[in-house]
Structures are given as structure tokens and as C-alpha cells.
Amino acid sequence: MLSSSMNILVIGGAGYIGSHVVKTLLQNDHSVTVYDNLSTGCRENLFAAASFIEADILDEARLRAALAPAGRPIDAVIHLAALKAAGDSMLEPERYAEHNICGTIKILNAMTAAEVRLLVFSSSAAVYGEPQYLPIDEQHPTEPTNFYGATKLEIERILAWYSRLRDLRYAALRYFNAAGYDPDGDVRGLERNPANLLPVIMEVALGRRTQLRVFGDDYDTPDGTGVRDYIHVSDLAVAHLAALEHILAHDRDLVLNLGTEHGASVREIYELARSVTGREIPVETAPRRAGDPAKLMASSKAARETLGWRPRHSDLETLVQTAWNVYAGR
Ligand code: NAD
Ligand code: WQD
């Protein structure tokens, strides 16, 4: 870790992943301002030690003010604010284009105006589309199958141009399936209307939903259910800081996958959740979900070798237990 403390603007820092990133930055003695419109994030996720600006990334004046504060200058931006529901992006492309692509361009322009040149950006495994081989490394073709993934890919392309033309240094982090909660219990905000597997299972365990619908049990996988690479959100958080330190120290850009390089099936996860929660968790088999590949798994060799990063909390037991601690209010 670098010793000098940075002043970091975390855009989307009241969200699920962003709040974990803020915790890691504060633990490492950085100064943090969260910029968030609280559309999906929540106040409960804000840390007292961080400043908070409630504003939208589409608001250029607020962005410019946040990036050029009266006091200590901003050293770096971590940008996690986005609309992220792949299915919705196919129904509302205008909204996804505006928030994700235009919103990011406004951030970049406010950064160049304020001469802030370090950015860590939340990209996604959704940039790859249907896997052509496994594990997926960063050289895998990028052919997104939904507009959400396309917005992330467009942003990555724009970042590469700003790097060439405006001396921006960036890390685009392509997360696989984020899951779990802070093992210390310091982040407790629950996602509203979740669609991802683990929060859905947690809501079934609590009786807020009647059953888990398993989207297909006839895939070409060991137990027939979909296989994904679930990465603990605290492991993702640490990678943001390591990536920021790397682009600062080495004056180069990074595009990195963040995953565990292991796959887990839907069935493995709900069976483990039954044993961790002691709850029944009824399941019913439902038709396959459109656009779902059978199996997705990352190669994170580049992150391991470049950042020395290793997942520490991403074993399935910890993923499920830390989520349950929060859902059960422990
Ligand atoms: P989230 O919805 O919990 O967090 C997004 C945050 O951004 C929220 O706090 C929201 O209020 C804020 N926000 C959204 N639009 C905004 C706007 N226009 N102006 C200001 N703030 C705004 O989602 P998350 O799971 O924490 O995802 C964070 C990032 O990681 C997103 O960019 C997402 O695309 C990406 N990502 C997530 C996953 C995953 O598995 N959760 C996987 C890959 C990539
Ligand atoms: C996981 C597995 C489902 C819900 C999404 C985005 C991706 C990235 C991560 C942002 C699949 C199965 C799920 C349910 C189920 N996000 N499932 N019943 O689709 O792998 O990835 O989140 O960048 O871009 O697409 O995640 O959690 O929805 O699904 O059977 O109610 O669980 O079919 O096999 P996914 P997921």
C-alpha cells in the first residue's frame, strides 16, 4: 500500500459495492467524499467518516463543484454509479444510454476541467457476452448480448481515448458476480427489489418471497443449473484501491477481470443457503432466462499478477454467511 493519503470522490458510494469500497478506503486512511443520488443506494450505507453530496451524475454543475472543491483538491475518482439491470436495459435503452454513457462522459469532462487524472471505473463481465471459451480472460472477444453490457463497453472505449488525448489514467474493473456483505457487519443496506441470485435466496429464506425460481435445470453443467463466478464484495473493494495505487505508481491504464476463477451452480448455492440459514428455501424449476449462458467463469490471472490481488472472502460459505448475517439482522 502507498503511504500517502489521497482525497477520493466515490461516485455511487452509497450503493452495494460502493459502500464496501468506501469502507476499504477509510480503513486505509484515505479521505472520502461520496457522490450519489440515492436512486438505488441508501443513507444506511454512508459512513460517518466520509462526506456526502446528494446529487446526480447528469448534473454538470454539481459534478464540477464536487471535483473542484474549495478545500483539498480531489486526487482520484472511483465511479460506480450506473443502472445495472441487464433485462431492463433491453426495454429502456434511452435511460441506460443517458445514465451510463452520458453520465460517465459528464464525469470525465468535469475531471479534465478540474485536472483530476485518476479514475477507477466499474465495468462488468457483461462486456463479453456469450462465452467462446472458459475461463474468460481479458482478451476474450467483447460482444455483449444486452445493452447494459454494451454501455460498459462503450465507456471503456471512451476511457481509452481520454487516456490518449487527455492524460487520464484509468482502471476498468470487469467484475463477475458480486455477492456477500462486509464480514465485520459495517455495511447493512439491503438492495431494493433484487434480481440477483443470492439476495433473492435470502428473501426466500426470510419468507419475503414464497420460493426461488431456478431458471433452468437442464444446462450442460454438472447438476443442470447455471454456473457463475461469485466474488465477495469486500474482495472487489480491495481491488479498487490496489488498482488505483497501481495506475498512480506506474502511470498506465488497466483493464482487469475480477473473479474467483471458480464456478458455483445455482443448486450448490441454494443447498448451502439452506444449511447456513436453517430455513427451508422452497425452489421451483422455471424456464431458462433469456440470454443466460450455462457457465461463466473468470480468469483473474492478470489481476493476480499485476496487483498481487487474491480473493480472501469468496469461498461459498463466507459469501452466503455474510449475506445471511445482514438479512437476518445479526
Ligand atoms: P447499486 O445500484 O447498489 O449502486 C449504484 C449506486 O449508484 C447507487 O448508490 C445509486 O444510488 C447510484 N447512482 C445510480 N445512478 C446514479 C446517478 N445518475 N447519479 C448519481 N448516483 C447514481 O449497484 P452495485 O451492485 O453496487 O453496482 C455498482 C457498479 O458496479 C455499477 O456500475 C454496476 O454496473 C457495476 N457492476 C455490478 C455488478 C454486480 O454484480 N452487482 C457486477 C458487475 C458490475
Ligand atoms: C446468477 C445465476 C441465473 C436469479 C448479472 C448480470 C451481470 C453482472 C452480475 C452487473 C444464473 C440464476 C438468478 C433467480 C436463478 N452484473 N438465477 N433464479 O445473470 O449471472 O449476472 O449480475 O454487471 O452483468 O447479468 O447474475 O444473480 O441474476 O444469476 O435461477 O431468481 O442464478 O439463471 O444462472 P447473472 P444473477
Side-chain angles (χ1 to χ4, degrees):
M1 297 279 167
L2 296 184
S3 50
S4 64
S5 157
M6 284 185 271
N7 190 22
I8 304 172
L9 186 68
V10 182
I11 302 179
Y16 169 56
I17 300 173
S19 52
H20 289 83
V21 170
V22 170
K23 170 168 175 169
T24 296
L25 298 176
L26 293 173
Q27 272 181 325
N28 286 275
D29 297 325
H30 295 292
S31 173
V32 176
T33 301
V34 169
Y35 185 106
D36 199 299
N37 69 357
L38 299 180
S39 55
T40 54
C42 52
R43 283 184 194 279
E44 200 184 349
N45 280 344
L46 296 171
F47 285 83
S51 312
F52 177 52
I53 299 170
E54 185 175 350
D56 198 291
I57 57 173
L58 296 174
D59 185 338
E60 291 176 38
R62 300 292 304 278
L63 262 185
R64 282 176 189 261
L67 278 153
R72 186 178 170 191
I74 298 291
D75 299 305
V77 173
I78 300 182
H79 169 32
L80 307 105
L83 302 177
K84 64 163 184 175
D88 291 350
S89 75
M90 302 297 275
L91 304 172
E92 301 178 84
E94 299 84 358
R95 225 159 66 80
Y96 275 72
E98 175 90 351
H99 282 261
N100 294 7
I101 302 175
C102 299
T104 302
I105 292 171
K106 287 182 194 296
I107 291 170
L108 290 173
N109 291 352
M111 285 178 68
T112 57
E115 297 181 6
V116 177
R117 55 183 292 275
L118 298 172
L119 173 70
V120 178
F121 170 66
S122 297
S123 188
S124 169
V127 299
Y128 295 114
E130 186 70 30
Q132 296 180 20
Y133 58 83
L134 291 171
I136 296 177
D137 57 22
E138 292 80 358
Q139 285 67 49
H140 186 285
T142 45
E143 292 168 14
T145 50
N146 54 63
F147 186 62
Y148 163 74
T151 66
K152 295 288 184 184
L153 188 56
E154 282 312 315
I155 294 164
E156 286 194 13
R157 291 186 176 130
I158 293 166
L159 294 180
W161 278 106
Y162 273 67
S163 168
R164 276 173 62 180
L165 302 174
R166 284 286 179 262
D167 202 30
L168 174 83
R169 289 293 162 270
Y170 71 90
L173 303 180
R174 295 172 173 172
Y175 322 148
F176 280 64
N177 293 58
Y181 270 85
D182 175 36
D184 303 328
D186 291 336
V187 178
R188 310 199 70 85
L190 300 182
E191 293 195 79
R192 296 189 285 266
N193 296 319
N196 289 122
L197 180 66
L198 195 52
V200 168
I201 289 177
M202 293 293 110
E203 291 196 354
V204 177
L206 286 177
R208 291 184 194 162
R209 298 184 191 222
T210 50
Q211 64 207 340
L212 168 68
R213 301 180 71 231
V214 176
F215 299 139
D217 63 359
D218 56 354
Y219 283 108
D220 183 17
T221 59
D223 64 27
T225 65
V227 168
R228 295 291 183 273
D229 186 335
Y230 296 92
I231 175 85
H232 195 283
V233 69
S234 299
D235 288 330
L236 289 180
V238 168
H240 287 70
L241 180 53
L244 178 55
E245 290 174 340
H246 189 91
I247 60 174
L248 173 62
H250 299 273
D251 195 29
R252 58 176 286 236
D253 304 321
L254 291 173
V255 178
L256 294 174
N257 285 344
L258 295 176
T260 64
E261 315 190 283
H262 296 287
S265 73
V266 173
R267 182 162 162 188
E268 269 178 273
I269 295 194
Y270 72 69
E271 285 185 345
L272 179 60
R274 283 174 176 158
S275 99
V276 166
T277 64
R279 307 288 172 98
E280 192 190 345
I281 311 185
V283 300
E284 73 160 8
T285 302
R288 291 182 180 192
R289 193 170 59 177
D292 262 1
K295 211 167 164 183
L296 282 180
M297 227 184 298
S299 164
S300 266
K301 185 165 178 269
R304 278 189 279 115
E305 292 182 350
T306 315
L307 305 179
W309 173 81
R310 299 266 183 297
R312 305 268 179 227
H313 304 285
S314 295
D315 59 284
L316 288 188
E317 181 88 27
T318 304
L319 288 171
V320 175
Q321 184 68 58
T322 56
W324 180 238
N325 291 346
V326 172
Y327 275 83
R330 292 179 178 167

